[in-house]
Amino acid sequence: NLYDLENDVIRSFGDARIHAAINCASASCPALYERAFRPELLDEQLNEVTRRFVSDPRHVRYADGTLHLSAIFDWFSADFEEHRLPSGEVGLHAFLGAFCARPSCEAPNDAEIRFNDYDWSLNAVSN
């Protein structure tokens, strides 16, 4: 089943970027990637979807001393804390810093963290 595929197979690779690539079709999900993931481009593609996810203020935003994060960062916190960047850095703040493309998502390591409510409603395109 899809639960086992995600949790027993995909997450076993130890790459937290996968959470930016998996899409459950809910409003709070990372955006659906518009191309097929290809083995020879996978590293580059995972970096791209992760930059998009982390740079979207709906998922990561630092304001008024609080780092507001998608609930995905809470549910899979161990994945983000254990993700090793090519530089050797580990941890949530290192992960966010590596992929954040906006100054407004950079936060000090001691910032209060608040996880956003997750909107499970069906993601839809407005006309």
Side-chain angles (χ1 to χ4, degrees):
N1 65 43
L2 293 176
Y3 179 88
D4 291 340
L5 177 63
E6 176 184 356
N7 290 291
D8 297 340
V9 178
I10 296 173
R11 288 183 60 213
S12 71
F13 296 127
D15 191 334
R17 298 176 300 171
I18 195 62
H19 297 292
I22 295 175
N23 186 288
C24 66
S26 72
S28 287
C29 247
L32 183 63
Y33 194 50
E34 65 277 357
R35 293 184 282 260
F37 288 98
R38 297 178 41 198
E40 68 275 12
L41 300 173
L42 188 57
D43 193 54
E44 177 184 320
Q45 289 176 313
L46 286 174
N47 283 339
E48 182 180 348
V49 295
T50 303
R51 273 192 297 279
R52 289 181 187 184
F53 176 61
V54 171
S55 298
D56 185 332
R58 293 175 305 143
H59 304 298
V60 178
R61 180 176 50 87
Y62 179 65
D64 302 320
T66 301
L67 182 58
H68 302 268
L69 298 176
S70 165
I72 290 170
F73 291 100
D74 184 24
W75 300 335
F76 303 104
S77 60
D79 295 357
F80 294 102
E81 287 297 334
E82 296 168 7
H83 182 91
R84 183 168 302 282
L85 297 166
S87 66
E89 291 179 283
V90 294
L92 174 62
H93 286 281
F95 185 88
L96 295 174
F99 293 104
C100 178
R102 295 177 304 102
S104 61
C105 62
E106 296 173 7
N109 289 349
D110 62 350
E112 176 187 356
I113 294 177
R114 223 176 247 152
F115 297 104
N116 304 333
D117 290 335
Y118 206 79
D119 182 353
W120 287 102
S121 63
L122 184 61
N123 194 1
V125 176
S126 56
N127 294 336

